[in-house]
Amino acid sequence: MRLLICTFVLVLTQWVSAQAGPTTAPTTRPTTPVPADVTAHRDIVYVAGGGARQSLDLFIPNGVTKPPLVVFIHGGGWRGGSKERLPAMFLTQHGFAVASINYRLVPNALFPAQISDCRAAIRFLRKNAEKYGFDADRIGGWGTSAGGHLVALLGTGAENKELDGDNKETEGSCALQAVVDFFGPTQFPMRPNDATIRLFGGTATEKKELMKLASPITHVHAKVPPFLIMHGDADKTVPIEQSQLLADALKAAGNNVTFVTVPGGGHGFGTAVYQEKVRTFFQTHLGNKAK
């Protein structure tokens, strides 16, 4: 009887463990296929002592001498998402190197940790351009949603040291030469919602100055790199007015900005449909020799 009971307990324990899944997360790899003519460098940590959330993947097209680089910044409400999904991979087939970065997420890290990481990643990439074989003077950025916010903030606020946050590695430039912003928030408080409260650790009243610092519109000046901004007119998460405000501010300051309204587009309208616009924009402003 004792043997029977012990056997039952062992089987039950194994079954429960199986339902719970593995005790450690499996190693992830990009879900976006890597073309055969592209060399992949994965899980590069871009800050000393950083972990998975401060790492990036880098993809270099074979046979292209010193290609320009496009850095993709994922969305996810500043609390989710990862570098593994890469809509920008198609650009490797047009002579671009492409990087996809992770950054710290809430609730473990509040703003400005997210933009601090993005700035550190750009500096790391520029510093290591010769090592990996791309052009340090031609770096563009593309982001969607929360990533759109971060890439817009890189574009307008590169010179503002307050955005470095706790980043100790601040040597070199984190400036971009071209920016593509897909439906990112541009001015806080956008409206009362849980996502912004989580990002800043408080309400608009409590975090007024921090929200101002986080707003790309705050940092607009006369020498902002060219912007392509795209936004769906049916977006119920980030109102299209957010992008219109940034586009108007950039134009008023004398900058090069293209604003595209996506008819019927919600919060996420299928980036593949607009690949041609993105490719043309980066080719125009980063000046690569397309394949």
Side-chain angles (χ1 to χ4, degrees):
M1 178 63 71
R2 176 179 293 181
L3 177 60
L4 181 61
I5 293 173
C6 290
T7 301
F8 173 76
V9 170
L10 176 61
V11 171
L12 180 62
T13 300
Q14 291 173 339
W15 183 85
V16 170
S17 296
Q19 305 312 302
T23 55
T24 58
T27 300
T28 59
R29 287 299 179 218
T31 57
T32 303
V34 179
D37 58 351
V38 172
T39 297
H41 304 275
R42 297 188 176 99
D43 304 322
I44 304 168
V45 175
Y46 57 78
V47 296
R53 290 312 314 176
Q54 293 174 308
S55 68
L56 60 86
D57 294 334
L58 179 61
F59 304 93
I60 309 293
N62 300 335
V64 182
T65 303
K66 292 189 72 174
L69 173 69
V70 173
V71 180
F72 185 79
I73 305 177
H74 69 79
W78 307 281
R79 65 171 180 167
S82 76
K83 61 183 173 60
E84 272 66 45
R85 296 189 64 185
L86 182 52
M89 183 68 82
F90 80 96
L91 289 169
T92 61
Q93 301 304 287
H94 298 281
F96 291 89
V98 173
S100 185
I101 69 173
N102 277 343
Y103 52 89
R104 286 171 291 171
L105 303 173
V106 296
N108 296 321
L110 302 181
F111 188 87
Q114 295 72 29
I115 188 63
S116 171
D117 286 350
C118 292
R119 289 163 70 91
I122 300 299
R123 289 188 176 110
F124 172 89
L125 286 163
R126 182 163 276 123
K127 188 181 300 183
N128 288 277
E130 185 173 350
K131 173 182 177 180
Y132 291 107
F134 59 86
D135 192 337
D137 297 323
R138 294 186 294 163
I139 300 179
W142 178 13
T144 58
S145 192
H149 160 246
L150 293 170
V151 80
L153 196 53
L154 279 171
T156 62
E159 300 304 317
N160 192 317
K161 298 299 183 182
E162 286 185 81
L163 294 171
D164 282 323
D166 60 0
N167 178 23
K168 302 296 190 297
E169 300 173 24
T170 58
E171 291 185 8
S173 172
C174 62
L176 299 174
Q177 282 66 63
V179 176
V180 175
D181 166 15
F182 273 23
F183 46 89
T186 67
Q187 186 175 49
F188 298 102
M190 182 173 60
R191 61 189 179 194
N193 61 51
D194 291 341
T196 52
I197 290 174
R198 285 192 299 265
L199 178 62
F200 300 109
T203 65
T205 301
E206 297 166 335
K207 301 294 181 179
K208 180 179 179 181
E209 291 305 311
L210 191 59
M211 290 190 180
K212 182 178 179 182
L213 178 68
S215 301
I217 282 179
T218 299
H219 308 281
V220 169
H221 55 91
K223 294 184 179 180
V224 169
F227 264 69
L228 168 62
I229 302 173
M230 299 187 67
H231 210 126
D233 62 9
D235 191 334
K236 299 186 185 310
T237 302
V238 177
I240 192 172
E241 288 78 17
Q242 286 281 307
S243 286
Q244 189 66 66
L245 285 169
L246 179 58
D248 291 346
L250 289 167
K251 287 179 182 177
N255 295 293
N256 183 329
V257 57
T258 301
F259 180 60
V260 178
T261 299
V262 180
H267 194 66
F269 41 74
T271 55
V273 178
Y274 296 96
Q275 286 183 353
E276 185 68 16
K277 288 185 182 297
V278 173
R279 177 184 66 80
T280 301
F281 174 81
F282 281 130
Q283 286 179 337
T284 298
H285 296 292
L286 297 182
N288 78 309
K289 297 178 181 179
K291 286 185 175 182

